[in-house]
Amino acid sequence: MEEELKCPVCGSLFREPIILPCSHNVCLPCARTIAVQTPDGEQHLPHGGAASGPGGGGGDHADKLSLYSETDSGYGSYTPSLKSPNGVRVLPMVPAPPGSSAAAARGAACSSLASSSSAITCPQCHRSASLDHRGLRGFRRNRLLEAIVQRHQQARGAQAAAAPALATCQLCDRTPPAPAAALCEQCDVLYCAACQLKCHPSRGPFAKHRLVQPSPGGASSGAGATGGGAARKFPTCPEHELENYSMYCAGCRTPVCYLCLEEGRHSQHEVKPLGAMWKQHKAQLSQALNGVSDKAKEAKEFLVQLKNILQQIQENGLDYEACLVAQCDALVEALTRQKAKLLTKVTKEREHKLKMVWDQINHCTLKLRQSTGLMEYCLEVIKENDPAGFLQISDALIKRVQVSQEQWVKGALEPKVSAEFDLTLDSEPLLQAIHQLDFIQMKLPPGPLLQLEKCCTRNNSVTLAWRLPPFTHSPVDGYILELDDGDGGQFREVYVGKETLCTIDGLHFNSTYNARVKAFSSSGVGPYSKTVVLQTSDVAWFTFDPNSGHRDIILSNDNQTATCSSYDDRVVLGTAAFSKGVHYWELHVDRYDNHPDPAFGVARASVVKDMMLGKDDKAWAMYVDNNRSWFMHCNSHTNRTEGGVCKGATVGVLLDLTQHTLTFFINGQQQGPTAFSHVDGVFMPALSLNRNVQVTLHTGLDVPTHLGRPKLAAN
């Protein structure tokens, strides 16, 4: 967390931190050094904390923020400046008049900034903001951060008091090391007098580093320490210095006092209670921290995984080296030179894997340290009971936490290399082939991984997807997908090819299928994947098939309503095909004119489409008029039954392929005995009608219990 508490300019703990318009913080003394005077002709908008006072513009003008990049500002042509160790432009100190104090010199600098047109560039995001007539005093003081720094210094002092051992130099070669004479706050290293002169001279890039006297145990006293017993002073309104904050301006996203609402530039803005907004922003920050905390936990587990991979790489590398040495030693002297080449190849492979893993460890450790530091700092901020101070920085913290969480992109916590070495040495070549001896790939393809999130069922079809395991280097020529019969029977091949996504149609409804896949290459067939269990739909959902119907058939209502443009009977089939199970669907008669004879039933896919259903040997149907119905197959009329259809009637079709029966119902009443006995094969719902009839199909229905058991035909 200490990195969050250090000024980006001086590198020390914050002293009198102020909040810049970009939400970053900087020490007030450091802000004096990086503020830059601009030419009189240069126009800048005042920063967000400016008020419309004497010499200022209107309220709308005061709300504007002058933020722009350093390259656009033209500061390079202004007052010459130095640079801090962090690359921040530093204004040369104003020389104090003879006989004046340092405090007077600082006051002169502030007066110079306030009286002239000046601007300040954020040392972190490099965005600039102009100063108003109040100069740096117009920026809000971050007392919340100041309190956290003070508490951190007190905790560090307590640790130092608990370890009274004399601090020693960390760079001495002698034993024991010499006592430390200085501590560099930027380097965080203790130096004795000799090592300081040798390793940390007061010139060059070290000239701006701050050296302090080390406390017992090596802890620094800190340049920004303040009295631990001093009561905290809550911030007051910069526009009305005697008033405390009492409300929160939602438009400007800043705390305000009651005078700002009555007579200031916030009088027409939407305001909310300070306490309520404090609690709301705390809740948002806490919620954002939960995501970062989860990622930090995953990162720690990932580091453990990477370290285990390091150990496995070391062990596997040593195993491969030992195997290689044993094989090469068994050969004659002609193999000696080749053995050295192979050892080098294994070593390079191991070093490459180690380097990849170490790079990933270092990268992940850095991100984890940054996230942990930000978490600790945010938790300390949440502990504070200063609503106004919290709201001054909450927006920026919430954005930082969200950005920190977004850094853990998908795949960032997955190892980039495998601990396995895909190297196999063939030790049986002939002597004349020694110079061509090299590692060859003889491994079978690994078992594919089924992607369960992409595997699904729809009606009586299943879709399966799979992929190879990560870090697979064995070549794959294709895959073999196997499926059982839906009844626990033997597996059979249903697909062979290179694709990794396959859909199998025409399966049984209400059946449980087991599927598995394996890969093959020139080396052979690999092992099976795990078996996935897929359940097809309990009931059939289907529509009329526009591709299989006669061209005179007219479909509407998403292919659920059918009529015909011809006075002759025309056939249309459904999109489902049945070969097993019990299925029920209904057809509602929407229009019935001039007493036509529509036919309802099932048919083979090759049924004749330009005559009434049931006149050929490919269909089984009930045709019906307004008074009676008949069962028809092969143009044979049987089982005449009283009872016809009219507009509004409902015809039910019950197909039981377990009992090999086909039963018809009109408005719930069975029409004649059951037909269709002892027929096997694949059947599709079918309908024939002419232009005097319009019906609507209803599917996905369970067999209604009120229909009872169908009456069978007499033998």
Side-chain angles (χ1 to χ4, degrees), residues 488-561:
Q490 296 292 324
F491 282 91
R492 68 185 190 280
E493 293 184 1
V494 294
Y495 171 75
V496 178
K498 295 184 178 182
E499 299 296 329
T500 58
L501 182 71
C502 182
T503 298
I504 302 100
D505 298 314
L507 302 178
H508 299 308
F509 285 92
N510 195 22
S511 300
T512 301
Y513 287 89
N514 296 285
R516 63 188 184 184
V517 64
K518 58 185 177 181
F520 62 88
S521 67
S522 58
S523 300
V525 180
Y528 284 107
S529 66
K530 292 182 179 180
T531 300
V532 63
V533 180
L534 299 165
Q535 174 74 36
T536 55
S537 176
D538 293 341
V539 294
W541 297 85
F542 59 92
T543 63
F544 291 119
D545 186 3
N547 298 318
S548 66
H550 192 278
R551 61 179 177 274
D552 294 336
I553 294 291
I554 302 173
L555 300 180
S556 59
N557 189 24
D558 293 332
N559 296 331
Q560 294 178 347
T561 299

Side-chain angles (χ1 to χ4, degrees), residues 43 68 225 270 293 319 415 550 579 626 649-650:
Q43 296 294 325
Y68 43 86
E270 179 186 2
S293 177
D319 291 343
H550 192 278
S579 60
N626 61 324
T650 299

Side-chain angles (χ1 to χ4, degrees), residues 302 360 408-416:
F302 180 57
Q360 211 170 356
W408 300 96
V409 297
K410 183 178 180 182
L413 300 181
E414 294 180 1
K416 294 182 178 179

Side-chain angles (χ1 to χ4, degrees), residues 334-364:
L335 296 175
T336 303
R337 290 187 299 271
Q338 194 69 19
K339 178 180 68 175
K341 295 180 182 179
L342 297 175
L343 280 172
T344 301
K345 186 171 291 188
V346 173
T347 303
K348 286 183 178 179
E349 178 73 6
R350 186 185 72 225
E351 294 302 326
H352 170 71
K353 289 178 177 287
L354 292 175
K355 182 179 181 301
M356 292 289 291
V357 176
W358 272 118
D359 289 345
Q360 211 170 356
I361 286 178
N362 293 335
H363 181 68
C364 185

Side-chain angles (χ1 to χ4, degrees), residues 199-505:
C199 303
H200 198 287
S202 300
R203 61 181 182 274
F206 297 108
K208 298 296 182 179
H209 286 205
R210 182 183 178 86
L211 297 175
V212 297
Q213 290 293 329
S215 59
S220 170
S221 61
T226 59
R232 181 189 306 177
K233 180 181 179 182
F234 288 94
T236 57
C237 177
E239 310 293 338
H240 313 92
E241 296 183 354
L242 298 180
E243 298 297 333
N244 290 328
Y245 291 121
S246 58
M247 299 295 287
Y248 180 79
C249 178
C252 301
R253 307 181 72 85
T254 183
V256 295
C257 69
Y258 82 97
L259 288 179
C260 293
L261 303 179
E262 292 183 355
E263 58 190 39
R265 60 191 178 93
H266 302 280
S267 58
Q268 302 299 323
H269 295 178
E270 179 186 2
V271 295
K272 295 184 179 180
L274 188 66
M277 293 303 298
W278 174 44
K279 292 180 180 179
Q280 178 181 338
H281 282 228
K282 269 196 173 185
Q284 291 178 2
L285 181 58
S286 300
Q287 184 177 4
L289 278 176
N290 290 336
V292 178
S293 177
D294 293 340
K295 292 299 181 181
K297 182 179 179 181
E298 293 180 15
K300 291 179 181 178
E301 296 174 352
F302 180 57
L303 286 175
V304 174
Q305 180 185 359
L306 289 178
K307 291 178 181 179
N308 290 335
I309 291 178
L310 280 177
Q311 183 178 357
Q312 294 175 11
I313 290 174
Q314 292 282 11
E315 294 174 355
N316 292 340
L318 293 174
D319 291 343
Y320 271 89
E321 285 185 358
C323 179
L324 178 61
V325 170
Q327 289 179 334
C328 290
D329 288 345
L331 300 176
V332 294
E333 185 178 359
L335 296 175
T336 303
R337 290 187 299 271
Q338 194 69 19
K339 178 180 68 175
K341 295 180 182 179
L342 297 175
L343 280 172
T344 301
K345 186 171 291 188
V346 173
T347 303
K348 286 183 178 179
E349 178 73 6
R350 186 185 72 225
E351 294 302 326
H352 170 71
K353 289 178 177 287
L354 292 175
K355 182 179 181 301
M356 292 289 291
V357 176
W358 272 118
D359 289 345
Q360 211 170 356
I361 286 178
N362 293 335
H363 181 68
C364 185
T365 302
L366 176 60
K367 281 190 176 180
L368 178 61
R369 180 167 62 87
Q370 293 173 349
S371 298
T372 303
L374 179 58
M375 287 173 54
E376 293 176 356
Y377 171 61
C378 291
L379 291 175
E380 291 297 327
V381 169
I382 291 176
K383 293 178 183 177
E384 293 300 311
N385 294 321
D386 179 4
F390 178 85
L391 291 174
Q392 288 174 348
I393 65 173
S394 59
D395 286 326
L397 282 180
I398 291 172
K399 291 179 181 178
R400 289 186 59 193
V401 170
Q402 292 172 346
V403 170
S404 176
Q405 182 178 358
E406 291 171 357
Q407 289 179 351
W408 300 96
V409 297
K410 183 178 180 182
L413 300 181
E414 294 180 1
K416 294 182 178 179
V417 296
S418 169
E420 298 296 329
F421 283 69
D422 295 329
L423 305 172
T424 302
L425 180 65
D426 184 1
S427 60
E428 299 180 356
L430 298 175
L431 184 61
Q432 58 269 26
I434 287 179
H435 293 291
Q436 286 76 39
L437 183 65
D438 199 353
F439 293 106
I440 61 173
Q441 294 288 346
M442 291 295 293
K443 286 188 175 182
L444 297 175
L449 300 178
L450 287 167
Q451 296 181 275
L452 300 182
E453 68 278 5
K454 296 182 180 180
C455 297
C456 61
T457 63
R458 184 179 182 276
N459 243 356
N460 62 335
S461 65
V462 298
T463 298
L464 296 108
W466 60 89
R467 62 179 177 86
L468 287 174
F471 314 116
T472 298
H473 303 292
S474 302
V476 173
D477 295 335
Y479 303 92
I480 301 173
L481 176 62
E482 296 183 356
L483 201 70
D484 68 359
D485 59 359
D487 200 20
Q490 296 292 324
F491 282 91
R492 68 185 190 280
E493 293 184 1
V494 294
Y495 171 75
V496 178
K498 295 184 178 182
E499 299 296 329
T500 58
L501 182 71
C502 182
T503 298
I504 302 100
D505 298 314

